[in-house]
């Protein structure tokens, strides 16, 4: 039976319905019962008029579920196109089904291969990432598709080196380079998805011809899935066992330091990165807050933090002396005695000098305005009024002794008395050199140790450092 030519417009409508609903080209055949041949074909690439006969068509195996869905679409079409005659409707329906059978390959639900980026309920994330390896493995289980894939890639460069598993890898590469998934969160929040939330996944295929040629179809092209199977996370303390030592606490207050970045290990040996703030300029009693890095959300383990940060109180740091009042009388007495011993030792080793008498009149304390690299953090300068005898003549001037980096230990100031500077040169002591001035006695000129005035001592030993240091002077001592 051949349908009259005036029905051609109807065939075109059927063709459009088929293509809109399936995304595939329709092979529509008008069957001639008497000749057993195709009388007319809506052309599709690779299939020419008259190539098919009843024997070929009868060998095709029908998928009943897909056939039913297709038939329903055809019925809906005819409900909306009442001008089509009963005979025409039957023939067209038959031909659509035949085209469906011949053009159909195997369908795969892409959504089954979209992975969630977390296994934790309430912390799920769906970025549309496909498990291409598993997808390719499952597709290649179909022997017909496997044959087509191997045939397609047989002329691939170095094809002779590829075994069956290698062809699976090549298909995986095709999937990865041509399939993408867009994600629309219908219910829930990205990164905080929980069981019961809904996500719409839409497949974007950039090379439909290849997959059609392989007999691979993706159905449906979009799908709304309900999140399920996420495990409830165990809440644990991410900071368990962490101490100040783990933060790398070091240095001397007020310039203590901790590491800016630290880590801790969870029960499953997963390492969690954290940041410390502040990490510099620390003193005892200061607070350091350790915070879990925002990009260290631990999605692939079943734990969530009890808290995202923890605050530690700095303690146990040595401290630099920053106030004169921290130096008690016992320490000051030992400093004065060291200065007197240094002066007397110098006088005893120089025949021009007689005795040297030092009377303390005050103390300067210099403290660094900020951390110094390679310099000193503080300097204690004890000032003396000095009386000495040079060639039998009594001389009065001003002298000093200084110590650097005095610290507080267990609440008391500690000064290294073995490391100091003074005007008195001696191979027995570490000195700054021989500060002093010429003095004429009779016909001879001598070098008097010290400074003529307290102002000169201040100018040379204190004021030269005020740019980088704060200065504190004891009561009554000269200060500009």
């Amino acid at each position: 039976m051949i349908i009259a030519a005036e029905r051609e417009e109807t065939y075109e409508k059927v063709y459009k319905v088929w293509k809109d609903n399936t995304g595939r080209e329709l092979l529509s055949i008008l069957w001639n019962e008497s000749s057993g041949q195709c009388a007319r074909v809506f052309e599709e690439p690779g299939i020419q008029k008259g190539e098919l006969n009843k024997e070929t068509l009868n060998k095709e195996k029908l998928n009943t579920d897909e056939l039913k869905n297709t038939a329903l679409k055809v019925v809906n079409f005819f409900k909306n196109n009442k001008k089509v005659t009963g005979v025409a409707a039957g023939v067209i329906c038959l031909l659509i089904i035949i085209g469906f059978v011949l053009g159909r390959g195997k369908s795969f639900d892409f959504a089954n291969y979209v992975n969630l980026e977390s296994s934790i309920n309430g912390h799920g994330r769906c970025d549309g990432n496909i498990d291409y390896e598993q997808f390719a493995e499952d597709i290649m289980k179909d022997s017909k598709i496997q044959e087509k894939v191997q045939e397609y890639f047989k002329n691939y460069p170095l094809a002779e080196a590829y075994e069956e598993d290698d062809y699976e890898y090549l298909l995986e590469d095709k999937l990865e380079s041509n399939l993408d998934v867009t994600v629309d969160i219908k219910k829930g929040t990205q990164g905080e998805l929980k069981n019961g939330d809904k996500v719409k996944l839409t497949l974007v295929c950039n090379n439909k011809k290849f997959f059609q040629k392989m007999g691979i179809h993706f159905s449906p092209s979009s799908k709304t899935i309900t999140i399920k199977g996420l495990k409830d996370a165990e809440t644990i303390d991410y900071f368990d066992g962490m101490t100040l030592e783990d933060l790398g606490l070091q240095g001397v207050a007020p310039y203590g330091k901790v590491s800016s970045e630290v880590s801790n290990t969870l029960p499953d040996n997963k390492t969690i990165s954290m940041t410390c703030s502040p990490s510099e300029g620390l003193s005892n009693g200061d607070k350091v807050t350790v915070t879990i890095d925002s990009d260290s959300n631990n999605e692939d383990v079943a734990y969530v933090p009890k808290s995202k940060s923890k605050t530690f109180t700095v303690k146990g740091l040595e401290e630099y002396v920053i106030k004169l009042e921290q130096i008690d009388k016992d320490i000051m007495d030992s400093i004065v005695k060291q200065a007197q011993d240094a002066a007397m030792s110098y006088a005893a080793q120089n025949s021009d000098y007689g005795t040297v008498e030092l009377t303390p009149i005050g103390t300067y304390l210099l403290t660094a305005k900020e951390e110094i690299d390679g310099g000193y953090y503080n300097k204690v300068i004890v000032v003396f009024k000095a009386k000495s005898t040079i060639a039998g003549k009594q001389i009065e001037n001003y002298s000093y002794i200084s110590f650097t980096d005095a610290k507080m230990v267990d609440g008391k100031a500690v000064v290294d008395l073995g490391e100091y500077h003074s005007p008195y040169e001696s191979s027995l002591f570490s000195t700054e050199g021989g500060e002093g001035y010429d003095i004429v006695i009779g016909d001879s000129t001598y070098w008097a140790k010290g400074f003529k005035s307290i102002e000169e001592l201040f100018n040379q030993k204190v004021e030269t450092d005020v740019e980088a240091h704060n200065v504190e002077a004891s009561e009554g001592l000269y200060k500009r």
Side-chain angles (χ1 to χ4, degrees):
M1 178 187 298
I2 301 177
I3 304 302
E6 60 266 19
R7 297 298 182 185
E8 184 170 337
E9 180 182 353
T10 301
Y11 308 147
E12 296 292 350
K13 289 181 180 179
V14 173
Y15 178 88
K16 186 176 186 306
V17 170
W18 173 270
K19 187 172 183 179
D20 287 348
N21 281 280
T22 67
R24 295 190 306 280
E25 299 296 323
L26 169 66
L27 178 62
S28 293
I29 308 167
L30 297 184
W31 189 257
N32 188 319
E33 291 287 352
S34 60
S35 67
Q37 295 293 323
C38 298
R40 180 183 176 88
V41 175
F42 284 135
E43 292 184 3
E44 182 181 29
I47 301 178
Q48 302 299 324
K49 182 170 67 175
E51 285 186 355
L52 303 176
N53 54 41
K54 272 188 176 181
E55 183 179 355
T56 302
L57 296 176
N58 289 335
K59 288 181 181 179
E60 297 294 336
K61 184 177 180 180
L62 303 181
N63 181 310
T64 55
D65 288 339
E66 294 178 344
L67 195 58
K68 179 180 177 181
N69 291 335
T70 303
L72 288 174
K73 291 170 185 172
V74 174
V75 169
N76 289 333
F77 165 75
F78 287 118
K79 284 182 179 179
N80 298 320
N81 293 270
K82 300 184 182 297
K83 293 182 179 181
V84 179
T85 66
V87 175
V91 174
I92 293 173
C93 185
L94 172 63
L95 298 179
I96 289 177
I97 293 173
I98 292 172
F100 165 80
V101 173
L102 295 179
R104 189 67 171 168
K106 185 169 182 178
S107 291
F108 294 88
D109 187 345
F110 76 95
N112 293 335
Y113 302 91
V114 174
N115 294 326
L116 284 177
E117 301 303 310
S118 172
S119 60
I120 303 175
N121 189 25
H123 297 268
R125 183 178 186 86
C126 183
D127 291 321
N129 296 324
I130 298 176
D131 185 349
Y132 296 104
E133 182 178 1
Q134 187 62 53
F135 206 172
E137 180 181 334
D138 289 350
I139 291 174
M140 289 291 278
K141 290 177 181 177
D142 185 290
S143 58
K144 291 184 178 180
I145 294 177
Q146 184 181 115
E147 290 176 4
K148 291 180 180 179
V149 170
Q150 291 177 349
E151 178 69 20
Y152 179 86
F153 286 114
K154 69 179 181 180
N155 295 320
Y156 196 80
L158 302 177
E160 66 275 7
Y162 284 86
E163 301 295 338
E164 184 175 332
D165 290 342
D166 296 311
Y167 286 111
E168 184 177 301
Y169 169 79
L170 292 173
L171 177 60
E172 178 187 339
D173 183 66
K174 274 287 188 181
L175 292 170
E176 186 169 359
S177 60
N178 289 285
L179 299 185
D180 291 302
V181 174
T182 61
V183 178
D184 182 12
I185 307 296
K186 295 297 184 182
K187 179 184 177 184
T189 303
Q190 188 72 292
E192 298 179 354
L193 293 174
K194 59 184 180 298
N195 290 327
D197 287 348
K198 295 185 182 299
V199 177
K200 183 179 180 181
L201 307 173
T202 301
L203 184 68
V204 179
C205 181
N206 299 317
N207 192 350
K208 292 182 180 180
K209 289 184 178 180
F210 167 79
F211 295 109
Q212 288 174 353
K213 188 172 184 179
M214 297 301 103
I216 301 170
H217 300 288
F218 306 110
S219 179
S221 59
S222 65
K223 186 175 184 179
T224 298
I225 63 171
T226 300
I227 303 298
K228 60 182 179 179
L230 298 181
K231 299 178 181 178
D232 290 333
E234 178 185 354
T235 300
I236 66 171
D237 183 1
Y238 277 34
F239 305 94
D240 184 39
M242 183 174 284
T243 65
L244 275 171
E245 287 70 24
D246 295 322
L247 306 187
L249 182 64
Q250 62 177 329
V252 181
Y255 305 110
K257 298 179 180 179
V258 294
S259 301
S260 59
E261 296 182 357
V262 296
S263 63
N264 204 11
T265 304
L266 301 184
D268 61 353
N269 292 322
K270 170 78 173 181
T271 300
I272 297 298
S273 300
M274 306 174 181
T275 56
C276 301
S277 181
S279 60
E280 298 181 344
L282 301 175
S283 298
N284 290 320
D286 287 349
K287 307 292 185 182
V288 175
T289 300
V290 184
T291 305
I292 300 171
D293 287 350
S294 59
D295 58 351
S296 183
N297 49 21
N298 197 34
E299 289 181 338
D300 51 353
V301 295
Y303 302 119
V304 291
K306 184 181 294 182
S307 61
K308 294 184 178 180
S309 64
K310 183 175 182 178
T311 299
F312 293 84
T313 300
V314 177
K315 61 181 179 180
L317 282 177
E318 291 185 336
E319 301 179 28
Y320 287 115
V321 170
I322 57 174
K323 294 288 183 183
L324 279 174
E325 63 186 27
Q326 294 176 297
I327 306 176
D328 60 24
K329 184 178 182 303
D330 291 342
I331 299 298
M332 189 59 69
D333 288 346
S334 65
I335 292 174
V336 171
K337 185 176 186 304
Q338 184 74 333
Q340 291 172 333
D341 290 345
M344 292 302 296
S345 178
Y346 173 80
Q349 296 176 62
N350 291 272
S351 58
D352 292 332
Y353 269 73
T355 60
V356 178
E357 178 185 341
L358 299 177
T359 302
I361 61 174
T363 305
Y364 292 110
L365 175 64
L366 281 65
T367 54
K369 294 178 179 178
E370 58 185 32
E371 186 173 3
I372 304 296
D373 184 13
Y376 64 88
Y377 296 107
N378 65 28
K379 181 185 285 189
V380 180
I381 303 175
V382 182
V383 180
F384 302 93
K385 190 167 186 179
K387 291 182 180 181
S388 58
T389 302
I390 303 177
K393 183 176 181 179
Q394 191 175 58
I395 304 298
E396 290 188 1
N397 58 15
Y398 295 87
S399 186
Y400 73 93
I401 186 168
S402 68
F403 302 87
T404 57
D405 295 341
K407 298 175 182 176
M408 298 295 294
V409 178
D410 296 330
K412 293 193 67 174
V414 175
V415 177
D416 184 357
L417 297 178
E419 293 290 334
Y420 63 87
H421 302 288
S422 78
Y424 303 100
E425 294 180 355
S426 169
S427 60
L428 300 178
F429 302 104
S430 171
T431 69
E432 290 180 331
E435 292 105 337
Y437 53 94
D438 288 333
I439 183 170
V440 177
I441 301 175
D443 295 331
S444 301
T445 300
Y446 297 90
W447 186 252
K449 296 295 181 180
F451 301 88
K452 292 181 181 181
S453 67
I454 187 64
E455 289 85 351
E456 286 187 9
L457 186 150
F458 179 86
N459 291 340
Q460 293 191 38
K461 306 308 300 180
V462 178
E463 194 164 48
T464 53
D465 287 345
V466 296
E467 180 179 356
H469 293 79
N470 297 309
V471 178
E472 181 184 0
S474 59
E475 186 176 355
L477 196 60
Y478 174 81
K479 181 181 177 183
R480 194 183 303 281

